[in-house]
């Protein structure tokens, strides 16, 4: 129990309400579930796995947590073919080779035994730390963002397991490096692939979906304050209607904000049919989606 | 019931509903609850959801079970017990007043009031007299019948039009709100039942399977739309998985140039070898599907999925039949709109039906006469249907011939394997000629399509 209390001292947020307020101050409007889960991830020191469609603010949440807690963000962008050397650590071969050559050229002056050279080239100096190790070794509060974790291969997931459950990394030549201060870990996923049960078990899970109209209005207003209140209301309404249609890619928050910026740039005062059909390309990125929207919303197709 | 009992019962129920909740996750949930106040029901729900549910598709099941184990209120609820028991009588005046209130709440979209009204609807209009005191049951069905929420639809549409909404949108919104209210009523009836019989019993019978495990043949109309929305993500997941697996098996001949190039960074020692990619092997696919009423939706989903994955095949041709064969490949243009494809498919069914009764034998015969050129040694043939041929001639030799001229042949049957061979089903006879696979839901369909690619 004492360890629990201790953990609470180093908590990121003190309560769900505190999380909501501070995330808001950091420019992220979180709903109740998001704030509560962020609070739990901080206080239980468990990684947070966020899933949801593209552009609903998954990565942004990690950045907002970092801003709210005054922590630094260490980011690991996942891609197919990511390996240990890019994610965890790597020995600096070239520097090691140089060191060995330098040692052998000076051998006649100060002969060095194999053991000495060996101990010498496997030290911190020759270690290239990559994001995962960096995040663990940092003394300051850190947010570790593992972005688009579903893009990696299954082997990398195995690598993540040790880091996520015990916050430690084993380097054969140096021993085990444990975190002095556990980072706040956020993993994001677009669900293009099922993650393994082992990874999911170690994480708290949060699904971010499309927000309700009221919250979306607040988000658009806070991101694009210059846009007229009335237009924001219309815009959110149109986006909500678009999401009800059967589209290949429904517009998400990022698209709403882009659209708001477009309207500012074009100095559109009111979102009428003509304005919608001439800027529809900002929100819908498939030709068939646009055709469907034009048909369902009863727009004149000629504008495009 | 203590809190621990509630927790353990809840976790057990989640497991039996198919959510893989491990012991460690249960402990996580308790650790999370320790840090939160128990006063707020939504906080408890969020804590459980964050620790136990790791897949969004399972969220619906989770929410339904949570409502059973941690109900929002007990009986009529504290607020209403303050009143005299008299108002819980069911008479014409009460019904008229209730319908008025409901119409108001629906128009204002006041979720809190709708929730209270749903409780009242079940308590007042859904009560069925029991054999003794405390034995009364509540039925969502009779509550909804008495209230006849559907009749409120027109009124609601007019109200929404008055608020300045477009006609089509008003209808959609009204439909959704009334649907939401019906779900609230159903949930409240389940809650009352759980109170009487214990949540375990209710969970067994009242829960519907998640969308990816829902039988195609048992799908309601609203489910079909949801299923259709699942096709595109499923295709994307399958495509990713296939590319990944191809890459994993990609170990062609040694790429000498790249290996030497890479060895420079390690002082000329080739530590890692690089290989040329293997050429992917792609098959041609011919889909022949039964589109008669009973299995039409299954055929449509399979076609959609196959065409969503078209770039994994060299060529895909699709034929539909009831008793005549009709080619529908043209309906699937790359990037075409799903809804339009569905509409044109439904319209083309009339070409496939001459007499309107499924006849597999005639369909196979016509196919081999008209489209024999579609099959060849590179082509895989996929037949979709339940094998219910109205006791007509099965044309087994024709099918055997078709199967032998194709590279592989499979038959997908949307019925449960235990029903094969019952009634007019010719599934056992056909399955001796062609390997038959049971394919009842999206998960099985996804697995099968993955395997043939």
């Amino acid at each position: 129990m004492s360890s629990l209390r201790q953990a609470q001292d180093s908590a990121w947020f003190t309560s769900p309400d505190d999380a909501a307020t501070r995330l808001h101050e950091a420019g992220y409007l979180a709903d109740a579930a998001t704030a509560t889960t962020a609070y739990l991830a901080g206080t239980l020191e468990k990684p947070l796995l966020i899933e949801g469609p593209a552009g609903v603010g998954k990565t942004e949440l990690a950045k907002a947590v970092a801003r709210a807690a005054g922590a630094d963000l260490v980011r690991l962008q996942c891609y197919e073919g990511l390996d240990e050397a890019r994610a965890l650590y790597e020995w600096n071969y070239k520097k090691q080779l140089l060191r060995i050559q330098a040692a052998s050229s000076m051998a006649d002056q100060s002969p060095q035994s194999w053991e000495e050279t060996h101990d010498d080239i496997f030290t911190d100096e020759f270690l290239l730390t990559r994001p995962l190790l960096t995040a663990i070794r940092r003394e300051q509060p850190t947010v570790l963002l593992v972005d688009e974790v579903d893009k990696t291969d299954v082997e990398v997931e195995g690598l993540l397991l040790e880091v996520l459950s015990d916050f430690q990394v084993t380097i054969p030549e140096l021993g085990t490096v444990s975190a002095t201060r556990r980072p706040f870990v956020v993993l994001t996923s677009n669900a293009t692939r099922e993650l393994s049960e082992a990874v999911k078990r170690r994480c708290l899970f949060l699904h971010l979906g499309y927000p309700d109209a009221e919250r979306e209005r607040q988000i658009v207003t806070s991101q694009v304050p210059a846009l007229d209140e009335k237009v924001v209301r219309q815009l959110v309404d149109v986006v909500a209607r678009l999401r009800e249609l059967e589209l290949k890619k429904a517009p998400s928050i990022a698209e709403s904000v882009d659209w708001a910026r477009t309207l500012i740039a074009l100095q559109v005062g009111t979102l009428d049919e003509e304005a919608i059909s001439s800027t529809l390309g900002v929100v819908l990125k498939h030709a068939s989606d646009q055709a469907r929207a034009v048909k369902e919303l009863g727009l004149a197709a000629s504008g495009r | 019931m203590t809190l621990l009992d509630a927790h353990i019962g809840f976790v057990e129920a989640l497991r039996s509903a198919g959510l893989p909740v491990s012991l460690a996750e249960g402990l996580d949930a308790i650790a999370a609850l320790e840090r939160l106040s128990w006063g707020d029901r939504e906080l408890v729900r969020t804590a459980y959801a964050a620790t136990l549910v790791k897949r969004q598709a399972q969220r619906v099941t989770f929410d339904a079970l949570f409502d059973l184990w941690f109900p929002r209120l007990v009986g009529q609820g504290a607020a209403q017990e303050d009143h005299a028991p008299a108002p819980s009588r069911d008479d014409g005046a009460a019904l008229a007043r209730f319908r008025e209130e409901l119409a108001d709440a629906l128009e204002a979209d006041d979720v809190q009031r709708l929730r209270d009204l749903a409780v009242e609807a079940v308590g007042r209009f859904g009560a069925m007299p029991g054999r003794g005191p405390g034995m009364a049951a509540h039925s969502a069905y009779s509550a909804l019948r008495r209230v006849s929420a559907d009749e409120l639809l027109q009124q609601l549409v007019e109200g929404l039009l008055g608020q300045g909404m477009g006609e089509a949108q008003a209808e959609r919104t009204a439909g959704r709100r009334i649907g939401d209210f019906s779900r609230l009523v159903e949930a409240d009836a389940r809650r009352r039942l759980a109170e009487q019989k214990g949540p375990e019993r209710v969970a067994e019978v009242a829960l519907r399977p998640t969308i990816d495990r829902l039988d195609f043949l048992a799908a309601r109309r609203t489910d079909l739309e949801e299923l259709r929305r699942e096709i595109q993500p499923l295709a994307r997941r399958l495509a990713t998985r296939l590319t990944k697996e191809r890459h994993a098996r990609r170990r062609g001949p040694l790429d000498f140039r790249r290996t030497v190039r890479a060895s420079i960074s390690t002082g000329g020692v080739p530590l890692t070898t690089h290989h040329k990619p293997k050429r992917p092997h792609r098959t041609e696919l011919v889909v022949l599907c039964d589109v008669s009423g009973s299995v039409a939706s299954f055929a449509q989903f399979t076609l959609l999925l196959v065409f969503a994955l078209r770039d994994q095949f060299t060529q895909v041709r699709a034929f539909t039949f009831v008793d005549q064969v009709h080619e529908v490949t043209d309906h699937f243009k790359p990037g075409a709109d799903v809804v339009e494809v569905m509409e044109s498919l439904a319209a083309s069914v009339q070409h496939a039906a001459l007499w309107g009764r499924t006849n597999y034998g005639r369909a196979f015969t016509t196919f081999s006469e008209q489209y024999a050129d579609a099959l060849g040694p590179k082509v895989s043939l996929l037949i979709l249907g339940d094998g219910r041929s109205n006791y007509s001639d099965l044309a087994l030799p024709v099918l055997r011939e078709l199967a032998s001229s194709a590279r592989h042949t499979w038959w997908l049957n949307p019925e449960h394997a235990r029903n094969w061979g019952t009634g007019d089903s010719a599934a056992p006879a056909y399955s001796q000629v062609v390997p038959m696979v049971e394919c009842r839901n999206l998960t099985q369909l996804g697995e099968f399509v993955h395997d043939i690619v």
Side-chain angles (χ1 to χ4, degrees), chain A residues 110-283:
Chain A
S110 59
Q112 207 172 13
S113 71
W114 161 245
E115 273 75 28
E116 281 170 327
T117 320
H118 174 269
D119 288 348
D120 206 27
I121 61 168
F122 287 110
T123 51
D124 246 6
E125 196 192 338
F126 299 95
L127 190 69
L128 295 172
T129 59
R130 303 292 186 202
L132 288 181
L133 187 59
T134 313
I136 279 185
R137 299 220 295 184
R138 279 175 58 91
E139 306 274 319
Q140 297 85 18
T142 312
V143 174
L144 170 62
L145 168 64
V146 184
D147 216 359
E148 309 200 4
V149 70
D150 52 332
K151 297 257 162 66
T152 57
D153 309 314
V154 185
E155 299 88 65
V156 180
E157 277 184 26
L159 192 79
L160 280 172
L161 288 183
E162 191 185 13
V163 179
L164 294 185
S165 58
D166 302 329
F167 290 95
Q168 65 178 34
V169 172
T170 308
I171 304 173
E173 296 86 354
L174 286 184
T176 303
V177 181
S178 300
T180 42
R181 184 175 194 141
R182 292 194 167 191
F184 188 108
V185 185
V186 176
L187 298 97
T188 72
S189 158
N190 281 329
T192 52
R193 169 173 81 82
E194 281 284 340
L195 297 179
S196 73
E197 292 296 327
V199 168
K200 284 190 166 180
R201 189 174 70 67
R202 286 169 171 80
C203 298
L204 296 182
F205 181 82
L206 175 68
H207 181 269
L208 281 184
Y210 301 121
D212 55 30
E214 181 54 28
R215 207 167 74 83
E216 179 151 34
R217 202 175 52 72
Q218 289 173 1
I219 294 170
V220 174
T221 317
S222 77
Q223 297 280 324
V224 192
L227 196 62
D228 188 47
E229 180 73 8
K230 191 176 90 244
V231 184
V232 173
R233 207 174 285 277
Q234 287 173 332
L235 185 149
V236 169
D237 189 47
V238 174
V239 170
R241 276 161 70 189
L242 288 176
R243 280 183 199 143
E244 280 178 17
L245 306 178
E246 263 184 56
L247 299 177
K248 281 195 181 132
K249 170 73 182 83
S252 59
I253 306 176
E255 267 103 31
S256 306
V257 172
D258 281 351
W259 204 10
R261 295 215 172 100
T262 313
L263 294 180
I264 292 280
L266 294 175
Q267 296 181 328
V268 176
T270 169
L271 197 59
D272 51 13
E273 283 191 10
E274 197 193 326
I276 295 179
S277 55
S278 61
T279 53
L280 204 56
V282 182
V283 248

Side-chain angles (χ1 to χ4, degrees), chain A residues 1 4 8 16 33 36-37 39-40 43-44 46 51 80 93-94 97 150-153 190-194 197 200-205 207 237 241 243-246 248 288 292 295-296, chain B residues 20 22 24-25 28 31-32 34-36 43 46-47 49-51 53-56 169 172-173 176 225 228-229 232 236-237 240 243-244 247 265-267 271 335-340 343:
Chain A
M1 210 53 200
L4 285 183
Q8 220 149 24
T36 312
T37 317
Y39 159 70
L40 284 176
T43 182
L44 296 176
K46 282 194 144 284
E51 225 173 65
E80 204 179 312
Y93 295 122
K94 292 154 203 161
L97 280 175
D150 52 332
K151 297 257 162 66
T152 57
D153 309 314
N190 281 329
T192 52
R193 169 173 81 82
E194 281 284 340
E197 292 296 327
K200 284 190 166 180
R201 189 174 70 67
R202 286 169 171 80
C203 298
L204 296 182
F205 181 82
H207 181 269
D237 189 47
R241 276 161 70 189
R243 280 183 199 143
E244 280 178 17
L245 306 178
E246 263 184 56
K248 281 195 181 132
S288 67
R292 160 132 245 118
K295 207 169 92 188
E296 294 279 330
Chain B
S22 69
E25 282 168 323
D28 284 347
E34 272 185 343
R35 308 295 172 82
L36 293 170
L43 275 188
T46 313
T51 45
V53 186
K54 304 289 165 79
R55 207 167 288 154
Q56 185 57 17
Q169 202 204 348
R172 255 200 322 272
T173 318
R176 199 186 54 227
E225 198 170 301
R228 218 151 63 189
R229 282 170 190 259
Q232 209 66 34
R236 208 190 53 211
R237 275 201 301 275
T240 332
T243 337
K244 284 240 157 67
H247 282 199
S265 71
T266 47
L271 288 184
D337 189 83
V338 178
V339 182
E340 274 167 23
E343 278 163 8

Side-chain angles (χ1 to χ4, degrees), chain B residues 68-233:
Chain B
L68 290 182
W69 257 265
F70 301 92
R72 196 170 68 89
L73 40 76
V74 176
Q76 282 292 343
Q80 290 188 337
E81 272 166 16
D82 293 345
H83 301 299
S88 79
R89 272 216 325 273
D90 173 10
D91 53 31
L95 183 63
R97 184 193 53 73
F98 179 85
R99 282 175 54 104
E100 218 161 274
E101 261 186 61
L102 179 60
D104 275 357
L106 281 173
E107 202 177 316
D109 202 14
D110 182 345
V111 179
Q112 189 53 44
R113 237 173 89 205
L114 281 176
R115 218 172 257 159
D116 292 342
L117 285 172
V119 174
E120 192 184 339
V122 177
R124 184 172 301 189
F125 307 112
M128 296 191 294
R131 271 165 291 165
M135 298 281 283
H138 294 91
S139 148
Y141 178 71
S142 59
L144 284 172
R145 274 273 300 279
R146 285 280 290 155
V147 176
S148 56
D150 289 342
E151 280 174 25
L152 289 173
L153 187 74
Q154 201 45 44
Q155 197 182 334
L156 181 55
V157 169
E158 274 158 28
L160 290 174
L161 283 175
Q163 285 178 13
M165 237 182 234
E167 194 168 331
Q169 202 204 348
E171 269 171 27
R172 255 200 322 272
T173 318
R176 199 186 54 227
R177 285 190 193 167
I178 287 189
D180 286 348
F181 179 71
S182 322
R183 267 192 288 283
L184 284 177
V185 169
E186 278 167 22
D188 192 64
R190 271 206 302 272
R191 174 185 67 80
R192 285 168 196 262
L193 196 61
E195 220 169 87
Q196 285 178 352
K197 305 224 160 136
E200 295 88 355
R201 289 277 305 281
V202 181
E204 271 169 32
V205 287
L207 284 183
R208 287 170 65 71
T210 52
I211 196 75
D212 55 335
R213 303 217 168 264
L214 184 71
D215 280 14
F216 290 122
L217 300 181
R220 301 185 203 164
R221 214 178 54 210
T222 47
D223 296 330
L224 290 181
E225 198 170 301
E226 205 178 327
L227 278 170
R228 218 151 63 189
R229 282 170 190 259
E230 284 298 311
I231 289 283
Q232 209 66 34

